[in-house]
Amino acid sequence: MTRSKIIAALTIAAAATFSFAGSADAQPNSALRPDKTVLLYADRLTDNSDPVTAKDVTAAGFEMKEDNGLTGPETINKAGNIGNINTNARFDLYFPEDPNGQMVIVCPGGGYSFASSYNEGVYVAEWMTGRGVTVAVVKYRMPAGHWNVPLTDIQNTFRYCREHASEWGVNQIGIMGFSAGGHLAATASTMYTDAATRPDFAVLIYPVITMEKGITHGGTRQHLLGKDSVWEDRKGKDWNEWDSEKATFKHLLDSYSLERQVSTDTPETFIALCSDDKTVPAENSIRYYRALIGCGVATEMHIYPTGGHGWGFSSEKYVAKDKFAYARGEFEVSLGRWLEEVHKKAEK
């Protein structure tokens, strides 16, 4: 089986996972809306069911060099989880009333199969802009086995934001990610291609880090790289093709195990998670923390005893019951203080 056939099989399998349909009730519990929506590749927004879209929609003009193979309209459920993102890949810009010069590019989680655009998107933007931070929430393309696609979207977002930073009064641009979005943020922190695509700092919330079985999140690994069986099955392959595909898969597992990609140039990082997270084991964050400290990268990590996974920024302001309520205030104070400190360092 050729690589293109592998990708085709993975794309079909990934497309089949999107079972929820567009919902007219998909409204966030926030009146905040973006000031501008920037399309990365399309000239116009088509078949849009996302209520969190700016009236001002513009095109960034990037060329889509690799398609993820997903077709049809996007899907969205009541929680704001957006699936089937392809040609409409975009980011929403939020400008604070009193900007402080700092900007955060946000990668919502969703196991690389959807983007949690409320809990880990618009609610984040409301908190950040209240602190003077400019925000870009990225609704990136799902990989469907095209592992380069999400990072390409994030890097193009960085390129656009760097180009417009001076007109926005921005002098520092970092990245923030949740769960699989945390994996994407850590990928951007370690696999940047130049100064424009390197984040100035990183915030990782209950992130997936490694691709190692038993420690990684299975859905994240599968949606990013595909099923092990597709790579390892020899049926219909000669030995050279089978051996080459196994070697490629091994290389990808190593490359996307981000604890192995940390260097002395990895940006300063803030990590937060809960000990009882049964979706993404704490070992993911611990491995990344150890790698950062080992390379001398300034790092702060907070591990809270309970709260599980996916608490994001869904405080009681937005949801009836906040499973992280007991520590949310402490978390927000710590993150706010850290963001101020990392910004002061950049201004010296």
Side-chain angles (χ1 to χ4, degrees):
M1 184 183 287
T2 64
R3 180 177 182 273
S4 61
K5 288 181 179 178
I6 290 175
I7 292 297
L10 297 177
T11 300
I12 292 170
T17 66
F18 301 125
S19 58
F20 49 83
S23 171
D25 298 324
Q27 296 289 334
N29 294 319
S30 168
L32 183 68
R33 293 297 181 269
D35 297 285
K36 180 180 287 190
T37 294
V38 181
L39 300 172
L40 288 167
Y41 310 106
D43 294 328
R44 61 189 179 87
L45 192 61
T46 58
D47 296 322
N48 181 48
S49 58
D50 179 8
V52 183
T53 303
K55 294 180 180 178
D56 181 5
V57 180
T58 189
F62 291 106
E63 177 187 359
M64 185 187 289
K65 296 180 179 179
E66 181 180 0
D67 194 304
N68 64 359
L70 299 177
T71 59
E74 291 180 1
T75 57
I76 187 168
N77 66 5
K78 290 183 179 180
N81 298 333
I82 305 173
N84 217 41
I85 302 172
N86 187 10
T87 55
N88 281 344
R90 61 199 180 277
F91 57 92
D92 294 327
L93 284 167
Y94 298 84
F95 299 115
E97 291 184 6
D98 186 19
N100 65 9
Q102 194 172 49
M103 182 175 190
V104 174
I105 293 174
V106 178
C107 307
Y112 281 133
S113 66
F114 61 83
S116 178
S117 70
Y118 297 171
N119 176 39
E120 297 161 356
V122 64
Y123 300 162
V124 183
E126 188 156 38
W127 186 85
M128 288 284 182
T129 54
R131 300 186 58 84
V133 180
T134 302
V135 176
V137 176
V138 190
K139 291 155 182 179
Y140 52 91
R141 291 173 295 162
M142 300 300 108
H146 299 252
W147 47 86
N148 295 314
V149 163
L151 179 59
T152 296
D153 291 356
I154 298 303
Q155 291 182 335
N156 282 336
T157 300
F158 264 96
R159 292 183 179 102
Y160 184 94
C161 293
R162 296 281 188 206
E163 183 178 349
H164 293 271
S166 59
E167 68 183 78
W168 299 338
V170 167
N171 54 35
Q172 185 187 49
I173 305 178
I175 194 164
M176 182 177 194
F178 302 77
S179 193
H183 184 269
L184 182 53
T187 305
S189 297
T190 54
M191 295 187 186
Y192 49 86
T193 59
D194 52 24
T197 56
R198 178 188 179 275
D200 294 323
F201 60 87
V203 178
L204 308 180
I205 310 299
Y206 41 80
V208 179
I209 293 295
T210 190
M211 289 289 106
E212 183 178 327
K213 279 187 173 181
I215 299 174
T216 189
H217 174 248
T220 295
R221 169 174 155 153
Q222 181 175 317
H223 284 110
L224 182 65
L225 303 179
K227 293 182 178 180
D228 293 17
S229 59
V230 176
W231 289 98
E232 297 171 351
D233 184 10
R234 188 178 174 178
K235 186 177 181 180
K237 308 171 189 176
D238 63 31
W239 185 86
N240 287 326
E241 184 179 13
W242 182 50
D243 188 58
S244 176
E245 288 175 4
K246 287 194 299 178
T248 297
F249 188 41
K250 183 178 179 181
H251 172 71
L252 289 171
L253 290 173
D254 181 73
S255 297
Y256 286 98
S257 291
L258 302 172
E259 73 275 20
R260 303 175 185 175
Q261 308 309 322
V262 172
S263 73
T264 55
D265 198 44
T266 301
E268 186 169 354
T269 303
F270 178 100
I271 306 170
L273 65 149
C274 292
S275 296
D276 67 341
D277 189 333
K278 293 180 173 56
T279 303
V280 178
E283 180 66 18
N284 283 266
S285 293
I286 292 169
R287 287 188 179 191
Y288 199 66
Y289 173 82
R290 287 172 175 162
L292 290 165
I293 295 300
C295 286
V297 177
T299 309
E300 179 171 326
M301 182 163 70
H302 296 259
I303 305 179
Y304 302 95
T306 60
H309 188 79
W311 35 269
F313 274 69
S314 289
S315 66
E316 290 177 347
K317 177 180 179 180
Y318 306 113
V319 297
K321 186 176 181 180
D322 176 12
K323 62 183 179 180
F324 191 59
Y326 79 97
R328 186 169 296 281
E330 180 183 344
F331 161 71
E332 291 181 354
V333 167
S334 297
L335 177 58
R337 184 251 317 144
W338 185 86
L339 287 169
E340 290 177 4
E341 290 175 353
V342 78
H343 194 207
K344 287 177 182 176
K345 291 178 185 178
E347 293 181 322
K348 288 182 179 179

